[in-house]
Amino acid sequence: MTTATLPASATLTSPSGETDTQLLEVSMGPQHPSTHGVFRMDVALDGEHVVKLKPIFGYLHRNHEKIAEIETYLGSMPYTDRLDYFCSITNNWAYALAVEKLAGIVVPERAEYLRVITGELTRLQNHASLVGFLMQDMGASGTPLMYAFREREKILDLFESLTGARMMCNYMRFGGCRCDLPEGWLQQAKQVVDAFPRFLDEFERLLSSNEILMARTQGVGVLSKKLAINAGVTGPMLRASGVNYDLRKVDKYGIYDRFNFRVPLGEHGDVYDRYMIRLLEMRESVSILQQAIRDLPEGPFTDPKTKVRNFRPKPGEAYGRIEAPKGELGFYLISDGTPNPYRYRVRPPSLINLTILEDMCLGQNIADVVIILGSIDIVMGEVDR
Amino acid sequence: MNLEQLKPELEAAIPGCRLEIIPNPSPSGQHSLLISPEHAIALATFLRDTPHLRFDYCSNVTGVDWPASALPGKIKSKEMEDGTESDEEEINAEPTGYLEAVYHLYSMQLKHGPVILRMRTEDRATRVHLPSLTPIWRSADFQEREIFDLFGILFDGHPDLRRILMWDEFTDHPMRRDYVEPDDYEYEPTAHDDVLRKTMHHYSGNA
């Protein structure tokens, strides 16, 4: 015989102390169009206001790290594409950078330029589609997302003609890149890049001073500078809160010290700032791309001395990190001298930026939870690994 | 960040603190600092709050499993012991291995780093407690939960130590080196079992 138990919502009491209010527990997700994948939020609501929010994930967990420890170093390279499947090239880059640190490989100059060009193109298409998704979450159905996808498609076409794949590019190798540019690719890329500011202008005219957008986003989901630093938030999220920390400037990995670009910073740390930061970062990326395309030198596209087969770094460990479009993407590797890494760890920016989701949502309306989550920019392939 | 300079400063600031520099022979040159768990909170607070250090950003937290067989140098000594010592003594003397938590610290304010901290548990079976550094750096929150989930280190003082990637009913720790995946993940009967049973019954001619 079973005893009757009260539902969980009945045992909760209202923080405002009113006698006849009840907290309502809502489970948003895992199948919810605004959660950007299979992601669940356990939300307790007092009327429309959020009083508790617990993110629940792991639905896409396939133990990427364990698989990589069974696989050879190079064998995990295609699998890193599947972490943040929007930005496969920057994932490749972070992994290649960590292995290069571990084994002491020097990357030729042309390869560094190719990495910057493809990496910044990745940033452009990630930020463009993120803004499109954010508008979709806000209810601006269709138009902004389609505008963003139109531009993204042009960049994906470039990736396809270079690497053979639109999204799973698998382009980097230890000590360089997989292949050189095909004929005419650079002119095509230059056209896309030069036309990009026009899209940004159009986008800004459409959205940035839109009354509904401003009403929905300004002052919503505020993240303070102090909390952002302490919680390890990185990328555009952190800079929207006004912290000047961009790994392209701090670490100067690759050849980023050669380019002239600015780091846009937010002031309020709300959703509007995060939206604006992405638009401004795209303009800076366009500037980096124009410089890189102009200065691209001749030379080898990969380090010919690096072994492809039977690649065994000497025992030791290395942590390599880059400024991926979503934040600091790091790889921590321990080698024991065998062809497989002893420990392979991904530091996923999406997961760690989720730490403060509850802090940003408390006291907000339930409808704003969706856009706050959208402004974090998560991809479940990376959160769950 | 030069660990040779940092080590005496830390030892002077936190009395009784044992520190050891773990050299890293790889070209990355990222050496790390092995700290004793009982002083970890004091040490982390010192690293975060001292004006010229200001490690306000804990970037990466991860676990590493070191079973006895993987520890460098110990395999040889065990082999040499074979044959000379009796079995009972060998079991007592056998190293148990340990689990390790690794923290990568950077400073956002002063833009330096990394300083890498390591903490080790006493063994891999029961004495697997380490102090949680989540009260110092919130960014360790999900990452320590992940280490608990996948490696089985218990972080004392963590505000919400639950499984994060595996489901709550799961019992093992899949990132350990000696983890054996089960043959069958099916842990509760499904409606399909009934269908199969009926089919078997049908084929056996009893229908």
Side-chain angles (χ1 to χ4, degrees):
Chain A
M1 176 164 166
T2 55
T3 52
T5 52
L6 287 168
S9 56
T11 59
L12 294 165
T13 51
S14 161
S16 55
E18 287 168 43
T19 47
D20 55 345
T21 56
Q22 256 196 352
L23 292 195
L24 179 68
E25 272 202 69
V26 181
S27 176
M28 288 179 78
Q31 264 70 22
H32 190 282
S34 74
T35 55
H36 301 249
V38 267
F39 175 73
R40 188 152 76 88
M41 287 174 284
D42 248 347
V43 194
L45 295 173
D46 180 11
E48 286 263 319
H49 296 287
V50 177
V51 293
K52 193 197 86 178
L53 186 148
K54 294 283 172 218
I56 296 160
F57 40 84
Y59 298 99
L60 231 57
H61 180 54
R62 63 259 184 211
N63 224 338
H64 176 87
E65 295 178 4
K66 187 87 174 179
I67 295 170
E69 283 168 18
I70 299 163
E71 194 52 78
T72 58
Y73 282 89
L74 186 60
S76 320
M77 183 60 90
Y79 207 17
T80 59
D81 290 341
R82 277 84 179 161
L83 284 170
D84 173 359
Y85 40 78
F86 261 83
C87 318
S88 59
I89 286 184
T90 46
N91 296 344
N92 292 167
W93 193 353
Y95 180 47
L97 192 85
V99 175
E100 281 151 12
K101 276 194 175 182
L102 183 69
I105 300 168
V106 183
V107 183
E109 205 183 357
R110 184 176 170 86
E112 291 280 22
Y113 272 91
L114 293 180
R115 285 179 176 191
V116 168
I117 291 170
T118 49
E120 292 301 324
L121 282 172
T122 306
R123 194 183 314 277
L124 282 184
Q125 59 98 3
N126 177 73
H127 283 2
S129 39
L130 179 269
V131 173
F133 285 135
L134 185 59
M135 296 304 136
Q136 184 89 358
D137 289 347
M138 229 173 277
S141 190
T143 312
L145 183 63
M146 286 306 124
Y147 275 28
F149 266 40
R150 183 191 65 202
E151 295 306 308
R152 177 169 177 259
E153 210 58 29
K154 291 176 190 164
I155 294 172
L156 292 189
D157 283 348
L158 285 176
F159 287 164
E160 192 177 12
S161 67
L162 175 61
T163 68
R166 282 153 43 85
M167 288 173 80
M168 303 296 130
C169 294
N170 180 21
Y171 183 56
M172 308 275 170
R173 289 290 179 266
F174 313 138
C177 300
R178 179 157 58 88
C179 53
D180 208 343
L181 300 178
E183 210 177 310
W185 192 89
L186 210 59
Q187 285 75 33
Q188 220 181 332
K190 197 169 165 10
Q191 274 173 16
V192 172
V193 170
D194 288 343
F196 208 83
R198 267 183 40 222
F199 154 71
L200 290 176
D201 293 340
E202 179 188 59
F203 219 51
E204 288 215 45
R205 257 203 324 281
L206 178 69
L207 297 169
S208 290
S209 54
N210 183 300
E211 210 174 312
I212 303 171
L213 174 82
M214 277 154 57
R216 282 295 304 276
T217 55
Q218 290 184 346
V220 170
V222 176
L223 176 62
S224 74
K225 204 169 175 174
K226 202 173 158 213
L227 181 64
I229 295 177
N230 194 252
V233 173
T234 43
M237 277 274 287
L238 176 74
R239 293 190 286 277
S241 294
V243 184
N244 187 354
Y245 195 74
D246 188 325
L247 295 183
R248 293 175 293 175
K249 290 279 190 196
V250 175
D251 278 11
K252 298 187 176 64
Y253 61 91
I255 48 162
Y256 270 114
D257 49 347
R258 296 187 193 178
F259 301 113
N260 182 20
F261 67 100
R262 295 171 296 168
V263 180
L265 294 180
E267 205 171 301
H268 308 94
D270 55 6
V271 175
Y272 189 80
D273 276 12
R274 276 172 229 141
Y275 154 80
M276 209 63 205
I277 286 285
R278 263 118 188 173
L279 287 178
L280 293 173
E281 277 197 2
M282 280 194 271
R283 290 195 191 273
E284 296 305 314
S285 288
V286 167
S287 151
I288 296 173
L289 275 165
Q290 282 167 339
Q291 295 170 53
I293 290 173
R294 185 192 65 208
D295 299 341
L296 179 69
E298 290 298 317
F301 60 87
T302 185
D303 177 27
K305 290 199 288 290
T306 305
K307 279 171 114 181
V308 176
R309 287 177 190 283
N310 205 8
F311 176 74
R312 298 159 185 254
K314 291 195 184 68
E317 61 172 61
Y319 178 64
R321 55 178 196 161
I322 69 159
E323 182 72 35
K326 293 183 170 58
E328 174 186 329
L329 176 64
F331 279 79
Y332 174 63
L333 299 164
I334 299 181
S335 164
D336 57 351
T338 59
N340 314 331
Y342 183 81
R343 178 79 179 97
Y344 168 105
R345 148 86 177 161
V346 189
R347 187 246 186 234
S350 297
L351 171 75
I352 295 157
N353 289 356
L354 272 180
T355 313
I356 34 73
L357 180 64
E358 186 177 16
D359 303 64
M360 290 196 293
C361 291
L362 289 183
Q364 305 281 349
N365 287 337
I366 180 74
D368 293 335
V369 170
V370 169
I371 58 169
I372 293 170
L373 179 71
S375 72
I376 297 180
D377 192 7
I378 58 165
V379 157
M380 293 320 286
E382 190 177 69
V383 175
D384 292 343
R385 280 159 298 136
Chain B
M1 205 73 212
N2 195 341
L3 287 184
E4 271 83 27
Q5 289 170 6
L6 190 62
K7 185 175 173 251
E9 193 186 332
L10 291 174
E11 279 170 337
I14 296 136
C17 179
R18 283 177 290 113
L19 296 171
E20 189 189 332
I21 295 177
I22 309 286
N24 179 4
S26 102
S28 71
Q30 293 170 340
H31 309 294
S32 49
L33 208 54
L34 180 67
I35 63 175
S36 46
E38 56 269 27
H39 296 103
I41 293 280
L43 193 107
T45 315
F46 181 79
L47 282 171
R48 187 191 61 177
D49 294 340
T50 311
H52 72 281
L53 299 173
R54 276 264 183 258
F55 287 99
D56 48 10
Y57 168 43
C58 177
S59 162
N60 179 39
V61 185
T62 188
V64 188
D65 181 18
W66 296 99
S69 58
L71 290 174
K74 295 203 172 157
I75 306 160
K76 273 184 190 168
S77 62
K78 205 182 126 197
E79 279 169 1
M80 282 166 69
E81 279 168 13
D82 278 350
T84 53
E85 290 177 52
S86 69
D87 285 356
E88 281 171 45
E89 273 178 8
E90 208 180 283
I91 291 162
N92 287 334
E94 197 170 14
T96 52
Y98 49 80
L99 300 164
E100 198 174 51
V102 185
Y103 294 76
H104 286 74
L105 309 180
Y106 289 87
S107 170
M108 278 194 187
Q109 198 180 351
L110 304 173
K111 301 201 168 43
H112 59 205
V115 158
I116 305 166
L117 302 181
R118 314 181 92 91
M119 283 193 285
R120 286 173 185 172
T121 62
E122 287 174 60
D123 63 16
R124 296 172 69 246
T126 51
R127 288 172 294 168
V128 288
H129 289 264
L130 286 180
S132 166
L133 296 187
T134 306
I136 315 290
W137 294 291
R138 270 287 296 280
S139 51
D141 186 347
F142 281 4
Q143 305 188 72
E144 282 180 349
R145 269 178 73 186
E146 189 184 316
I147 298 172
F148 160 70
D149 189 357
L150 302 181
F151 288 91
I153 299 179
L154 294 165
F155 286 97
D156 301 328
H158 191 286
D160 186 20
L161 198 64
R162 288 178 292 136
R163 285 191 178 269
I164 188 167
L165 294 172
M166 307 302 281
W167 55 100
D168 288 339
E169 294 80 15
F170 193 77
T171 48
D172 214 339
H173 303 292
M175 277 303 285
R176 291 204 183 185
R177 306 295 291 189
D178 49 6
Y179 171 74
V180 182
E181 54 189 286
D183 295 336
D184 189 3
Y185 275 108
E186 210 82 36
Y187 64 95
E188 60 183 25
T190 68
H192 196 233
D193 290 350
D194 270 351
V195 180
L196 274 178
R197 206 174 303 117
K198 277 183 195 160
T199 318
M200 298 294 277
H201 192 68
H202 178 82
Y203 279 127
S204 60
N206 298 330

